[in-house]
């Protein structure tokens, strides 16, 4: 295949890696990733619209291997965005139930497409000319309804199904990680249920400033704890909901005057207390 396709995919992967590293809010991360992937898909479509495949083998390779690598990422991030916008805030049990239901849907998908999944993953090719050549769809080979809403010059009967298989494999990893984090949160919460409740009565902005200061100095788990884990912990310990702490941090970052008002207040009050204690000792 032309070098352009490898370069386009490599560029997309680099963009997604940067988004993953820099964007902590999952919804913003998914939204930016969707935008980047859609842009790459449009470039891919434009290129293929004027490209003449040298052989059926090359065309099959494109629709079986190349296009699904791009398309699977779009499907994956769209699904993550959809899951996160519907993810309940009614407690850990409700959240876990929701995530397990999403996992069941994945299981049903793989069960319902087991034959094709085995065909693709074992590297079989005896049906490739039916599955991955344009205009070769066979109504007897279980067409995905999505096929009838696609551009026939940029689609075959089964390239979407390959992309969905890859996306759902990624989604299974994502859901397993989300469930693991829910379990960790439950363990953390259980450690505090028998202890007196401390409720944060200062501003949420101040706590978020403290949150990012603690994470930046690496004082938890030898610096391995990310912002989300520390935020979850602080919310549980101090009986407070921080809301969109990532957006609040951006507002703190660009505010006029001091960007560390709460940190400075803490230092000022502590030094004053030390001075007063020194004065009392002298007298």
């Amino acid at each position: 295949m032309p070098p352009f396709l490898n370069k386009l995919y490599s560029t997309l992967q680099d963009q997604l890696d940067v988004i993953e590293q820099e964007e902590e809010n999952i919804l913003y991360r998914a939204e930016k990733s969707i935008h980047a992937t859609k842009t790459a898909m449009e470039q891919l479509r434009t290129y293929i619209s004027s490209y003449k495949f040298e052989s059926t083998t090359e065309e099959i390779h494109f629709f079986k291997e190349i296009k699904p690598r791009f398309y699977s990422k779009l499907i994956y991030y769209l699904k993550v965005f959809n899951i996160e916008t519907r993810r309940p805030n009614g407690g850990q049990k409700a959240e876990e139930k929701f995530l397990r239901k999403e996992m069941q849907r994945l299981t049903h998908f793989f069960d319902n497409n087991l034959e094709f999944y085995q065909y693709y993953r074992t590297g079989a090719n005896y049906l490739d000319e039916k599955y991955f050549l344009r205009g070769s769809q066979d109504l007897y080979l279980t067409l995905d309804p999505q096929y009838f809403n696609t551009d026939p010059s940029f689609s075959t009967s089964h390239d979407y199904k390959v992309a969905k298989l890859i996306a759902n494999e990624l989604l299974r990893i994502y859901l397993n990680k989300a469930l693991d984090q829910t379990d960790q949160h439950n363990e953390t919460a259980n450690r505090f249920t028998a202890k007196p409740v401390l409720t944060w009565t200062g501003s949420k902005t101040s706590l978020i400033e403290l949150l990012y200061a603690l994470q930046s100095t690496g004082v938890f788990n030898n610096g391995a704890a990310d912002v989300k884990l520390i935020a979850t912990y602080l919310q549980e310990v101090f009986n407070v909901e921080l809301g969109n702490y990532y957006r609040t941090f951006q507002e703190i970052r660009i505010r006029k005057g001091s960007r560390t008002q709460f940190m400075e207040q803490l230092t000022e009050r502590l030094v004053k207390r030390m001075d007063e204690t020194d004065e009392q000792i002298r007298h």
Side-chain angles (χ1 to χ4, degrees):
M1 293 299 292
F4 170 80
L5 298 181
N6 289 329
K7 183 178 179 180
L8 181 62
Y9 184 77
S10 178
T11 300
L12 172 61
Q13 190 59 61
D14 288 344
Q15 290 175 333
L16 295 177
D17 288 344
V18 170
I19 293 170
E20 184 73 25
Q21 293 170 11
E22 295 184 349
E23 187 60 77
E24 294 172 358
N25 182 283
I26 182 63
L27 282 175
Y28 293 159
R29 187 160 69 240
E31 187 175 3
K32 288 182 178 180
S33 298
I34 290 167
H35 177 73
T37 309
K38 286 180 68 176
T39 300
M41 283 287 293
E42 284 304 316
Q43 291 177 289
L44 186 67
R45 181 196 296 269
T46 300
Y47 182 84
I48 292 301
S49 67
S50 59
Y51 180 79
K52 183 175 177 60
F53 291 106
E54 296 179 358
S55 63
T56 57
T57 300
E58 187 182 41
E59 182 174 350
I60 288 171
H61 178 68
F62 175 79
F63 286 106
K64 186 177 183 179
E65 304 293 343
I66 304 299
K67 182 187 171 185
R69 291 166 67 192
F70 289 85
Y71 205 179
S72 62
K73 293 188 181 299
L74 180 58
I75 296 170
Y76 169 71
Y77 286 113
L78 283 169
K79 188 62 178 177
V80 168
F81 186 84
N82 179 263
I83 288 174
E84 290 299 331
T85 54
R86 294 185 296 110
R87 194 163 171 172
N89 294 317
Q92 296 305 306
K93 288 185 178 180
E95 186 177 11
E96 184 177 352
K97 181 179 179 181
F98 170 79
L99 292 172
R100 292 198 181 283
K101 188 173 182 180
E102 291 296 326
M103 188 68 82
Q104 282 183 337
R105 290 179 180 175
L106 284 186
T107 301
H108 291 325
F109 170 82
F110 285 113
D111 288 344
N112 291 337
N113 293 278
L114 182 59
E115 184 177 352
F116 180 73
Y117 182 79
Q118 291 174 335
Y119 174 87
Y120 181 75
R121 283 304 175 198
T122 57
N125 57 20
Y126 58 90
L127 288 174
D128 279 3
E129 291 190 0
K130 294 291 185 182
Y131 287 156
F132 303 112
L133 286 179
R134 292 168 294 180
S136 298
Q137 67 274 12
D138 189 332
L139 294 177
Y140 293 98
L141 291 177
T142 316
L143 291 176
D144 194 301
Q146 178 76 15
Y147 171 76
F148 296 100
N149 296 319
T150 57
D151 178 359
S153 67
F154 190 58
S155 302
T156 66
S157 64
H158 282 67
D159 67 81
Y160 172 78
K161 185 163 285 189
V162 172
K164 197 169 182 181
L165 284 174
I166 298 171
N168 282 348
E169 288 175 338
L170 294 173
L171 197 60
R172 182 157 54 186
I173 295 170
Y174 165 79
L175 289 172
N176 276 325
K177 184 177 180 180
L179 283 166
D180 287 343
Q181 290 173 342
T182 301
D183 291 340
Q184 291 173 9
H185 181 87
N186 283 333
E187 291 175 5
T188 301
N190 289 337
R191 290 200 296 269
F192 289 92
T193 53
K195 297 184 178 182
V197 175
L198 281 177
T199 299
W200 181 271
T201 54
S203 72
K204 293 182 180 180
T205 300
S206 295
L207 184 55
I208 291 168
E209 186 180 320
L210 176 62
L211 157 66
Y212 276 86
L214 292 170
Q215 198 276 332
S216 298
T217 50
V219 294
F220 295 115
N221 297 352
N222 296 314
D226 60 17
V227 169
K228 183 176 181 180
L229 178 59
I230 299 173
T232 300
Y233 189 87
L234 293 179
Q235 288 178 118
E236 187 65 38
V237 172
F238 294 133
N239 193 31
V240 62
E241 289 291 333
L242 291 178
N244 191 333
Y245 45 84
Y246 176 77
R247 178 175 293 175
T248 302
F249 175 69
Q250 298 309 311
E251 293 171 355
I252 292 172
R253 185 178 61 81
I254 64 175
R255 67 187 174 189
K256 295 180 180 180
S258 173
R259 298 194 292 180
T260 56
Q261 294 175 4
F262 185 57
M263 296 295 100
E264 292 172 10
Q265 184 183 28
L266 288 176
T267 302
E268 180 186 336
R269 296 290 176 85
L270 180 57
V271 171
K272 181 180 179 181
R273 181 167 183 172
M274 290 177 176
D275 290 343
E276 289 175 347
T277 302
D278 291 345
E279 188 69 22
Q280 290 172 2
I281 292 173
R282 284 195 294 269
H283 292 83

